[in-house]
């Protein structure tokens, strides 16, 4: 398993709040599962890939459509980062 941390302060909260999102990639199960967690909000979500994230919207985490959309962008970005890391490891 691999976990990354993304700071959401600027990208989602426009410097109004401090929040970090932890994303864990669990490769011990098939298909691979990504778990997204924002402890400050007592929020968690799981997805197998970016297609699963499309079902995230129109879930409203913040009651603010713009922040919810920004969060979805960050979630997709985390998937990209974890996939890139996997590609780097495999190419070595």
């Amino acid at each position: 398993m691999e976990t990354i941390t993304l700071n959401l302060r600027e990208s989602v909260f426009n410097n109004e709040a401090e929040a970090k999102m932890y994303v864990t990639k669990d490769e011990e199960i098939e298909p691979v599962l990504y778990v997204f967690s924002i402890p400050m909000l007592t929020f968690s979500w799981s997805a197998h890939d970016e297609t699963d994230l499309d079902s995230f919207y129109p879930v409203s985490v913040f009651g603010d459509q713009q922040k919810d959309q920004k969060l979805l962008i960050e979630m997709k970005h985390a998937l990209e980062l974890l996939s890139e890391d996997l590609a780097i490891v495999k190419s070595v």
Side-chain angles (χ1 to χ4, degrees), residues 42-79:
T42 315
F43 166 82
S44 65
W45 191 270
S46 63
H48 292 288
D49 54 29
E50 190 171 323
T51 306
D52 282 351
L53 287 180
D54 292 335
S55 68
F56 174 76
Y57 193 74
V59 170
S60 182
V61 176
F62 306 110
D64 178 329
Q65 185 177 10
Q66 187 176 32
K67 284 181 182 174
D68 291 334
Q69 288 176 337
K70 288 178 179 181
L71 176 60
L72 181 57
I73 290 168
E74 288 300 317
M75 292 168 79
K76 289 181 178 183
H77 178 66
L79 289 182

Side-chain angles (χ1 to χ4, degrees), residues 5-13 17-21 74:
T5 305
L6 297 177
N7 189 337
L8 303 178
R9 180 180 180 178
E10 292 178 21
S11 61
V12 175
F13 292 102
E18 188 68 45
K20 294 188 184 324
M21 177 170 62
E74 288 300 317

Side-chain angles (χ1 to χ4, degrees), residues 75-91:
M75 292 168 79
K76 289 181 178 183
H77 178 66
L79 289 182
E80 291 172 9
L81 290 173
L82 287 167
S83 294
E84 288 173 10
D85 187 46
L86 181 60
I88 291 169
V89 171
K90 283 185 176 177
S91 68

